[in-house]
Amino acid sequence: MGDSQYSFSLTTFSPSGKLVQIEHALTAVGSGQTSLGIKASNGVVIATEKKLPSILVDEASVQKIQHLTPNIGVVYSGMGPDFRVLVRKSRKQAEQYNRLYKEPIPVTQLVRETATVMQEFTQSGGVRPFGVSLLVAGYDDKGPQLYQVDPSGSYFSWKASAMGKNVSNAKTFLEKRYTEDMELDDAIHTAILTLKEGFEGEISSKNIEIGKIGADKVFRVLTPAEIDDYLAEVE
Amino acid sequence: MQIFEYNGSAVVAMVGKNCFAIASDRRLGVQLQTIATDFQRISKIHDRVFIGLSGLATDVQTLYQRLVFRHKLYQLREERDMKPDTFASLVSAILYEKRFGPYLCQPVIAGLGEDDKPFICTMDSIGAKELAKDFVVSGTASESLYGACEAMYKPDMEAEELFETISQALLSSVDRDCLSGWGGHVYVVTPTEIKERILKGRMD
């Protein structure tokens, strides 16, 4: 990574034992648009705000929630271009696993490999850490799973989590609302209500994005029409 | 001198009712000279997956070591055993990596998959997989083995009958092949137990 003049790492320890670059990366994440995920008993939902810089932007062309495999989806908070690079790398790793074992990659393995990539960028020459935190939602033989991956490369499995600007309010709201036996549709309603909590302006199908995966093991991004239906149910 | 016939070998696997059997001969030769009569060609990857390797003995041993290495890492990372079809795909990929300087072995893979459904397959030395529902054969005695298995095999045999059938097929086939024989090594695997037996055949 990096050419020979930058073979030293830019991410170095401070005297207090912290990696300041990673702290700053987390700040970048913390000022990104809110995103959240909820694991239900029969599926997982992830959602994000989709605030565009101007009304002239064609919102249909912006896709913040992406597939990594047919049964694993991902959303982020932080820097969009960094997210694109990670999605590309993760998709490749998932496909390499599939080619070797002719089996779809388990969610935990894909999360671990993505996290390893992010960690490498904190310990290599001439590169900076990624300015995104990811929420990975998948459904495999172990059931529904939700993982958060941070710029440092650490990952955690969550029942429900939020990231970005409104993280503390969103997490408090989720802590109150979350129940173990929640079903996928309830989880989608809760996700919408959580987004609404810190939303500036009017929430609509044009400025949020929702992705879900159920027991059918197919990850799908909801169409604006479907989001409108859920929004109507929530009102 | 054919390199695949340098050491001599015979491996066969058969499918039964919720069980499978895998058998091999025990001779290790250097062309016409027999140097060992207890050579291990079949190895356990885990309780439900076995691999038998025929062909050049050094590659048999090396390939086995590489596969055990990969499986152990897989077990540690994924906290589970490999399914037999996944293992077969892995073996095929490893063999193809050496496409232009191959391992001179032909593997026979046998295992119990999900719901205890038996799985067998064989492949050539560069990883072309061949799945079968009844039996697969490999080694210098393969032509005789094909004939014997075709005649003796019937579907849905229980473990004991399967053992008898595969043993008879193996012993009669290696008797027609000067490079394999000196006894037989048979594993019969059911969901609950693994039975390993040594056969005494014509020692010549």
Side-chain angles (χ1 to χ4, degrees), chain A residues 97 100-103 106 109 112, chain B residues 70 77-78 80 83 86 89 93:
Chain A
Y97 183 102
L100 182 62
Y101 295 112
K102 301 284 186 296
E103 212 187 73
Q109 302 303 313
R112 179 158 359 96
Chain B
R70 294 297 294 259
R77 261 188 269 120
E78 306 218 5
R80 60 178 176 143
K83 292 194 265 219
T86 312
S89 300

Side-chain angles (χ1 to χ4, degrees), chain A residues 71-72 105-108 138-145 213 217:
Chain A
N71 67 325
I72 304 176
I105 188 169
V107 183
T108 347
Y139 201 122
D140 62 10
D141 292 334
K142 293 208 182 101
Q145 287 161 80
I213 179 164
K217 295 194 192 163

Side-chain angles (χ1 to χ4, degrees), chain B residues 10-13 21-25 42 166-167 170 185-187 199:
Chain B
V11 182
V12 55
I22 183 167
S24 76
D25 72 322
I42 299 177
I166 201 175
S167 307
L170 179 72
H185 202 151
V186 187
Y187 290 84
L199 303 172

Side-chain angles (χ1 to χ4, degrees), chain B residues 1-202:
Chain B
M1 186 214 51
Q2 297 272 48
I3 191 67
F4 279 106
E5 287 158 21
Y6 188 74
N7 294 126
S9 51
V11 182
V12 55
M14 275 192 188
V15 163
K17 197 170 163 71
N18 291 343
C19 64
F20 68 86
I22 183 167
S24 76
D25 72 322
R26 307 188 78 207
R27 178 181 180 271
L28 175 69
V30 173
Q31 294 187 289
L32 52 88
Q33 183 182 33
T34 303
I35 55 171
T37 56
D38 58 358
F39 188 66
Q40 177 99 315
R41 281 200 173 85
I42 299 177
S43 316
K44 186 173 86 161
I45 298 292
H46 63 78
D47 281 345
R48 291 162 69 97
V49 169
F50 281 70
I51 181 164
L53 291 154
S54 67
L56 196 64
T58 176
D59 285 353
V60 162
Q61 290 178 327
T62 307
L63 189 59
Y64 166 65
Q65 286 161 8
R66 277 197 69 185
L67 291 169
V68 161
F69 170 83
R70 294 297 294 259
H71 182 254
K72 280 187 183 166
L73 281 181
Y74 181 98
Q75 267 178 328
L76 286 168
R77 261 188 269 120
E78 306 218 5
E79 292 172 354
R80 60 178 176 143
D81 285 335
M82 242 192 237
K83 292 194 265 219
D85 47 341
T86 312
F87 182 68
S89 300
L90 175 67
V91 176
S92 175
I94 288 180
L95 290 174
Y96 196 84
E97 270 172 32
K98 301 259 186 254
R99 170 69 177 79
F100 299 107
Y103 287 112
L104 299 162
C105 309
Q106 281 129 327
V108 161
I109 295 160
L112 286 174
E114 255 150 72
D115 305 322
D116 299 335
K117 192 163 180 296
F119 169 92
I120 51 169
C121 85
T122 184
M123 52 190 86
D124 68 4
S125 54
I126 44 176
K129 249 190 293 186
E130 190 198 307
L131 305 172
K133 293 199 177 77
D134 39 19
F135 55 85
V136 289
V137 305
S138 155
T140 50
S142 57
E143 275 152 10
S144 311
L145 278 166
Y146 271 125
C149 289
E150 196 70 61
M152 298 189 201
Y153 179 81
K154 44 186 219 286
D156 286 329
M157 283 185 276
E158 296 285 346
E160 280 309 309
E161 202 191 344
L162 188 65
F163 166 68
E164 290 296 332
T165 309
I166 201 175
S167 307
Q168 291 295 353
L170 179 72
L171 289 175
S172 56
S173 305
V174 302
D175 283 349
R176 278 286 178 188
D177 176 25
C178 53
L179 296 172
S180 53
W182 282 91
H185 202 151
V186 187
Y187 290 84
V188 180
V189 180
T190 63
T192 46
E193 65 164 353
I194 300 167
K195 246 200 161 119
E196 182 186 341
R197 283 179 267 228
I198 307 283
L199 303 172
K200 189 162 196 300
R202 278 184 67 102

Side-chain angles (χ1 to χ4, degrees), chain A residues 21-69:
Chain A
Q21 277 298 295
I22 293 179
E23 307 279 323
H24 294 335
L26 285 164
T27 312
V29 168
S31 53
Q33 290 183 10
T34 313
S35 62
L36 56 93
I38 303 176
K39 182 169 72 173
S41 58
N42 59 342
V44 193
V45 59
I46 48 178
T48 181
E49 286 179 4
K50 192 165 76 169
K51 289 267 186 58
L52 299 166
S54 147
I55 53 163
L56 293 174
V57 175
D58 177 8
E59 77 274 347
S61 71
V62 175
Q63 282 177 337
K64 290 181 72 176
I65 300 185
Q66 294 280 346
H67 283 82
L68 294 180
T69 71

Side-chain angles (χ1 to χ4, degrees), chain A residues 28-219:
Chain A
V29 168
S31 53
Q33 290 183 10
T34 313
S35 62
L36 56 93
I38 303 176
K39 182 169 72 173
S41 58
N42 59 342
V44 193
V45 59
I46 48 178
T48 181
E49 286 179 4
K50 192 165 76 169
K51 289 267 186 58
L52 299 166
S54 147
I55 53 163
L56 293 174
V57 175
D58 177 8
E59 77 274 347
S61 71
V62 175
Q63 282 177 337
K64 290 181 72 176
I65 300 185
Q66 294 280 346
H67 283 82
L68 294 180
T69 71
N71 67 325
I72 304 176
V74 65
V75 74
Y76 74 101
S77 280
M79 299 168 66
D82 284 9
F83 175 66
R84 273 204 316 270
V85 166
L86 277 172
V87 164
R88 202 179 158 85
K89 283 189 202 273
S90 299
R91 282 175 177 165
K92 191 170 180 184
Q93 276 160 338
E95 205 43 53
Q96 275 172 345
Y97 183 102
N98 195 13
R99 198 187 70 173
L100 182 62
Y101 295 112
K102 301 284 186 296
E103 212 187 73
I105 188 169
V107 183
T108 347
Q109 302 303 313
L110 184 57
V111 165
R112 179 158 359 96
E113 289 190 28
T114 309
T116 306
V117 168
M118 291 169 87
Q119 192 280 341
E120 277 164 6
F121 277 72
T122 68
Q123 212 179 7
S124 303
V127 297
R128 60 161 176 81
F130 286 97
V132 286
S133 276
L134 305 173
L135 271 174
V136 181
Y139 201 122
D140 62 10
D141 292 334
K142 293 208 182 101
Q145 287 161 80
L146 177 67
Y147 283 92
Q148 178 175 340
V149 194
D150 279 343
S152 57
S154 45
Y155 59 92
F156 316 92
S157 177
W158 290 91
K159 299 178 198 171
S161 180
M163 325 180 294
K165 263 199 242 63
N166 204 29
V167 61
S168 43
N169 283 345
K171 276 199 174 162
T172 322
F173 189 87
L174 283 170
E175 271 169 33
K176 288 205 207 96
R177 281 291 192 119
Y178 182 79
T179 61
E180 292 278 340
D181 51 2
M182 212 181 236
E183 295 222 334
L184 190 54
D185 277 341
D186 297 328
I188 297 178
H189 292 139
T190 308
I192 292 175
L193 287 168
T194 316
L195 276 178
K196 240 180 149 185
E197 274 292 290
F199 209 86
E200 287 158 22
E202 184 75 34
I203 196 170
S204 82
S205 60
K206 288 201 172 50
N207 49 28
I208 61 170
E209 223 174 280
I210 302 180
K212 69 165 186 182
I213 179 164
D216 59 352
K217 295 194 192 163
V218 176
F219 183 82

